[in-house]
Every structure is written in structure tokens, then in C-alpha cells.
Amino acid sequence: MIETAWKRLSTDSLDFLLKSRTLRNIALRGARKSLHRKYVVVNKDNRPRAMQEGRCQILMNLMHAVHRALSDGRISPKVRKALIANFVGCVVLGTNERTVEFSRTYGFDPPAFLNISPTKKCNLFCTSCYASSSKESAETLDFEVFDWIIKQKTQLWGSHFTVISGGEPLLYRRGERTFFDILEANSDNYFMIYTNSTLITREAARRMADLGNVTPAISVEGFEEETDTRRGKGTYGKIMRAMDNLVGAGVPFGISATATRLNVDTIMSERFRDFYFGERGAVYGWIFQYMPIGRSYTLDLMITPEQRVALYKQEQRMIRESNIFLVDFWNGGPFSTGCISAGRPGGYFYIDWNGNAAPCTFFPYYASNVNDVYREGGSLNDILLSPYFASLRKWQNEYGYDQPPDKVKNFIVPCPIRDHYEDARSIIDGFDVKPMDEQAGEALTDEEYSRRMAAYGRDVRALTEDIWVRDFIAPECARAEKAMRTGHGRPEGGKAPGVV
């Protein structure tokens, strides 16, 4: 097994092996067999087989992308070692004593990571920014609290992966300490930062390479016209220079695209794929469908239900035929086994610049504040185990995360706040939660917003249900029927669906 071999070798030994293209190819073949056995054959969590096969595919795509970057010399030695020790060893393959201890104590696995926005300040003023960030924004986490959050999740959950968003993370500063000091103080974590990249100078890229434990996910809206229209004239040119600086320093990077009704055709195009993943060398990509929250929120920028289905189909083709790591946080529900918010096992929750803890970056309502928890001597588990978060995890479990394969509901539409708005509202209204900003408060009292969000979810569910049943559920029902008919009692890879 790949996991067993990994644990027997030191980081230096693995680093030596990964320098060889031949040995990497051998390792990739072994990884494919190991992932297939883990997810499809063993399938200990009893997930729909087609979903498990997709999870194998997307993980292999990521490994192939890293292999290509290593072959092209786009990953520096220090970054390579950090990827081995922190990301692959701890995040992809690792299970450590702290994770096991948490599971033994609480009866479920802990979150895999946190998403933290340490500052609201940003040097851009993007149209419909989810965070309403600007140069004038002053809200910023104290360094001690920021550092404590990361160390807490590592100690309590065995989590070695941290996602940073904003505002603009590279503008984070408390006194003399900057975001780079956080990276240095938490060298046992691998960080992904969502950034507009305009501040990634050659010096900044070299510092990232020297630290080794960070990868930027660079925001693009398409090409120059789409990016500059939303983010400001000249932004696209600065992004291209930042990418050059990162390649020159050996820092792997990805892209993050916000799909709106106006640019979704561009994001779906082969030209977009070939440019960013081919010419520019992005290792991974995320797609965020525009969510009507934040500055000047409007449902008119959301992709239509029909566009969403077309986006799903094109994403699936690109992933399976182009072997790229490209995940949509909504359409990608089959890869993530549904919604990953509220600290679900393997998931995350979100902490903003004021310390407010919300289920998700796009679920802007909170009941706990990390500054209060820190001041009172509590822990992140106080937030994770709160009734508010527990209620959302119960919804996730009932929707499909804790269901037998033939009973899992449509993971193409996994999101409570976007795809099942009425369910989300019942949870919000059932707890003493507060909006994270003025716009989130306005949305709760906007009857048209509620009506249109609920209608959007119904329309998307109607358009995707046949796809979900055909590709994911019907094969499970057929396998279960065959297993019962032949007297085996259970299909390969787990207990018979629906049978206790």
C-alpha cells in the first residue's frame, strides 16, 4: 500500500525519489491502484461507486499536475519537501493520533481544515465582492489569535492544511508582523491563499519559495476583458506578471474563477483551460459560482439553472478527458460527498477578520466569535460542537452524507444556502445567529431575495435530478438488486444499500 510505504520513508528519502521522473511514474501507477482500492473496492464509508470513482479521478489529476510541475522545474526544492511532509503526508494520505483521538472522543471525524480571512483590507474594489472589501477596510485579526487558531486546529484535529482568504491576505499586518510571519510560525501546515496576486512581486514570490509551505490560488474572471471589468483596469497584466514571478521562484499556483451569468461561457471554454493549465502552468483550479452576498449583491449575476447544468457537464468532461484538477464548490458535490461546511468530517468552517465563525464562507451568519473563545480560555471545539453547527451537520447527514448509497440525495446540488434555501432559512431562524455584515442582514428581510433563492434551488434540482439518478443512484440500485438475487447479500465495496 502507498500509505504504508510512505510512512516508512523519511521526507528526505521521498524527496530524493521524487526527483526522478521514472520513479515518479512508478509511484503514480501505484497511487492509482491504491486510491482505487481505498475508495472503490474497500469503500469503507459505503458511498455510491460512481462518486468514489470520480474522487479517485480528481485526486489522480492533482497528482499528475504536481508530477508535470516537478518535471518542468516549476516547484522549488523547499516547496517540494513541504508538499511531501505536510500536504501529501498529512492531508492526502495521513491519519494521525490527534485525528484518531478526536474521533474516539466525539464519535465523528474532525474537520480537515479551516478557512480564515485574517483581514478585510484589499487594494482592489471588485464588483459584487462577497466580503465587501476595500482599501478603507480596517477589520483585522490580532496576530496572537490568528496564530492560536492555526495551532489549535493542528493540535485538536490533526489538521495540517489551512485556507486563507480575505480581503487580500498579503495585506495582513499587525504591528511589525505580516502574513509571512504566520507562515513561518506554522511550518507544519500547508497554506493555500486566495489572492488577487497583484502584490506578488519577485521578492514576495522568493519569500514564498523560501518558506515552502504556501500556494496562491489566483483570482481570474476569464481573460483580460472579463478580469479587468470586474477587478479594475490593469489587474490582468499584474496577474500575468505575478504568475511569471511564481514560476521563476518555483512556487506552484492555481486559479480561482468566479462564474457569473456574464463570464460562464468563457470559463467553460477549452481556450480558458489550455491557457491557464497549459500555457501559464496552473496546477489546480477552483470555480466559485457567484453567490449573492456582500457588496451590491444581486441574483441577476448568478448563473442560470441551464448554465449550471452546462457548466457541470463541461467540468466533468475536462476532469475526465483533460486530466486537470478543476473543482466547482457546488457542482463538485459528488467529489466532496456533499456540503463540507459547519465542520463536517473532512470539511471546514469559516472565521472572518472580526473573529466571527460561520458554517461557510458563503453562509454569512454566525453564533460564535473566536475572540471571545480565546479570551475565555476555550477551544475551537466549543465552536465546532455548537448546536448551530451541529444542526447543519445533521442536515448534511440526512441529505446524504450518512445515508446508504441508494438513498443519497442529489450531490450535484449539495448546498443548503444556495440549493435548498428554505432548509437553510429554517436553520438560521431556529438559532440566535447574527449576520456577518449589513448585506447579510438585509438578505434576511428581503422577501424577493428569499423567494428567488428558493425558486433557483427548485429549478436546478429539477434539471439535475435525472442526471444524479442515472449516473449515481441507478447503478447502486442495480448492484443491490443483483446482490440480493444471487444471495450474496451485499455488493462489492460495502454493505448492501439500505440494509443494516
Side-chain angles (χ1 to χ4, degrees):
M1 293 288 288
I2 292 293
E3 295 92 333
T4 303
W6 189 277
K7 292 172 183 176
R8 289 177 178 171
L9 295 174
S10 67
T11 297
D12 287 338
S13 298
L14 286 163
D15 183 55
F16 175 79
L17 294 174
L18 287 183
K19 292 177 184 178
S20 166
R21 182 193 293 262
T22 300
L23 291 176
R24 288 201 305 272
N25 281 327
I26 294 172
L28 282 172
R29 288 195 292 272
R32 181 176 292 279
K33 291 180 181 178
S34 179
L35 288 171
H36 184 269
R37 175 172 175 76
K38 177 180 179 179
Y39 287 107
V40 181
V41 178
V42 176
N43 190 9
K44 70 180 181 66
D45 294 319
N46 197 25
R47 309 292 184 197
R49 186 184 182 108
M51 194 167 74
Q52 296 295 80
E53 290 171 343
R55 296 176 75 188
C56 285
Q57 179 71 54
I58 200 68
L59 285 172
M60 282 306 304
N61 287 3
L62 181 59
M63 291 185 183
H64 278 291
V66 172
H67 169 62
R68 290 191 293 269
L70 287 167
S71 300
D72 296 341
R74 288 183 279 120
I75 297 181
S76 74
K78 283 194 174 181
V79 173
R80 187 173 62 235
K81 286 188 176 183
L83 278 169
I84 293 167
N86 294 345
F87 186 73
V88 180
C90 295
V91 179
V92 178
L93 297 178
T95 298
N96 58 51
E97 293 179 2
R98 289 166 181 162
T99 303
V100 172
E101 178 61 27
F102 179 97
S103 303
R104 186 182 298 118
T105 301
Y106 297 105
F108 64 97
D109 290 343
F113 65 101
L114 285 179
N115 182 7
I116 309 166
S117 288
T119 183
K120 190 176 180 180
K121 184 179 288 293
C122 186
N123 57 321
L124 301 182
F125 193 84
C126 301
T127 302
S128 298
C129 170
Y130 86 93
S132 301
S133 297
S134 70
K135 295 177 182 178
E136 289 71 38
S137 302
E139 299 95 319
T140 301
L141 279 175
D142 285 341
F143 185 91
E144 290 77 10
V145 176
F146 189 9
D147 185 57
W148 176 83
I149 292 168
I150 297 167
K151 287 180 168 55
Q152 272 267 300
K153 75 177 186 62
T154 305
Q155 293 164 3
L156 294 174
W157 310 334
S159 165
H160 291 264
F161 184 54
T162 305
V163 176
I164 305 294
S165 52
E168 171 50 49
L170 295 179
L171 282 175
Y172 176 81
R173 178 180 292 274
R174 293 297 280 183
E176 296 300 315
R177 290 178 290 192
T178 70
F179 179 65
F180 289 113
D181 293 301
I182 283 289
L183 298 179
E184 188 170 10
N186 295 277
S187 60
D188 61 347
N189 268 247
Y190 197 79
F191 292 80
M192 182 179 71
I193 63 169
Y194 289 108
T195 172
N196 63 44
S197 84
T198 60
L199 302 176
I200 301 180
T201 61
R202 288 182 182 177
E203 180 183 0
R206 284 195 295 267
R207 184 77 190 278
M208 291 180 184
D210 187 54
L211 290 165
N213 62 335
V214 61
T215 174
I218 298 173
S219 299
V220 297
E221 308 299 330
F223 298 102
E224 184 170 15
E225 179 181 356
E226 296 90 353
T227 300
D228 283 3
T229 296
R230 185 175 187 218
R231 297 184 172 270
K233 187 173 177 60
T235 300
Y236 182 79
K238 294 177 181 177
I239 290 172
M240 295 299 107
R241 288 192 290 275
M243 290 181 175
D244 289 339
N245 293 337
L246 291 166
V247 171
V251 178
F253 67 89
I255 58 170
S256 170
T258 301
T260 71
R261 192 169 302 187
L262 304 178
N263 72 347
V264 65
D265 291 338
T266 299
I267 289 174
M268 282 194 294
S269 70
E270 293 184 2
R271 178 174 166 241
F272 179 88
R273 175 202 65 194
D274 293 344
F275 179 72
Y276 285 107
F277 291 95
E279 294 179 34
R280 301 307 303 175
V283 174
Y284 57 89
W286 305 110
I287 292 179
F288 294 90
Q289 298 174 32
Y290 170 78
M291 180 71 185
I293 61 174
R295 180 164 51 236
S296 303
Y297 68 82
T298 171
L299 276 73
D300 294 336
L301 276 178
M302 292 177 72
I303 61 174
T304 67
E306 292 76 16
Q307 286 175 323
R308 180 160 169 181
V309 174
L311 180 61
Y312 170 80
K313 292 178 179 178
Q314 179 65 348
E315 288 163 347
Q316 292 292 315
R317 279 194 293 270
M318 285 185 176
I319 289 165
R320 298 179 192 282
E321 297 173 10
S322 302
N323 293 323
I324 59 174
F325 184 91
L326 178 66
V327 175
D328 181 323
F329 271 83
W330 284 273
N331 287 350
F335 298 133
S336 62
T337 62
C339 170
I340 63 172
S341 75
R344 193 206 77 179
Y348 84 110
F349 63 85
Y350 173 61
I351 299 172
D352 77 358
W353 38 79
N354 291 315
N356 298 323
C360 168
T361 315
F362 303 101
F363 200 121
Y365 304 96
Y366 72 97
S368 304
N369 183 282
V370 75
N371 291 316
D372 296 336
V373 173
Y374 175 77
R375 186 167 49 249
E376 294 166 6
S379 79
L380 290 180
N381 285 344
D382 297 330
I383 298 171
L384 176 64
L385 300 174
S386 68
Y388 176 39
F389 280 15
S391 178
L392 270 164
R393 292 195 296 271
K394 182 175 182 290
W395 182 90
Q396 293 163 343
N397 286 338
E398 293 174 350
Y399 188 78
Y401 184 73
D402 196 30
Q403 300 299 315
D406 61 337
K407 303 299 183 185
V408 176
K409 295 179 183 176
N410 188 348
F411 275 163
I412 304 173
V413 284
C415 176
I417 193 74
R418 184 186 185 91
D419 302 325
H420 306 272
Y421 186 75
E422 290 162 316
D423 292 345
R425 276 304 299 266
S426 69
I427 293 173
I428 292 169
D429 294 341
F431 292 90
D432 183 22
V433 302
K434 302 178 182 64
M436 299 183 84
D437 54 37
E438 182 180 348
Q439 293 82 9
E442 291 174 358
L444 292 180
T445 60
D446 186 337
E447 293 184 4
E448 182 183 6
Y449 181 95
S450 297
R451 178 184 61 77
R452 290 181 62 186
M453 286 294 290
Y456 179 89
R458 287 194 295 271
D459 290 346
V460 175
R461 295 197 300 271
L463 289 175
T464 57
E465 189 63 25
D466 287 347
I467 299 172
W468 173 254
V469 171
R470 180 194 68 204
D471 294 346
F472 295 91
I473 301 304
E476 294 303 320
C477 294
R479 290 175 68 230
E481 182 180 348
K482 180 180 178 181
M484 294 303 179
R485 188 173 62 250
T486 58
H488 293 303
R490 71 175 199 173
E492 176 190 0
K495 65 186 179 184
V499 177
V500 179

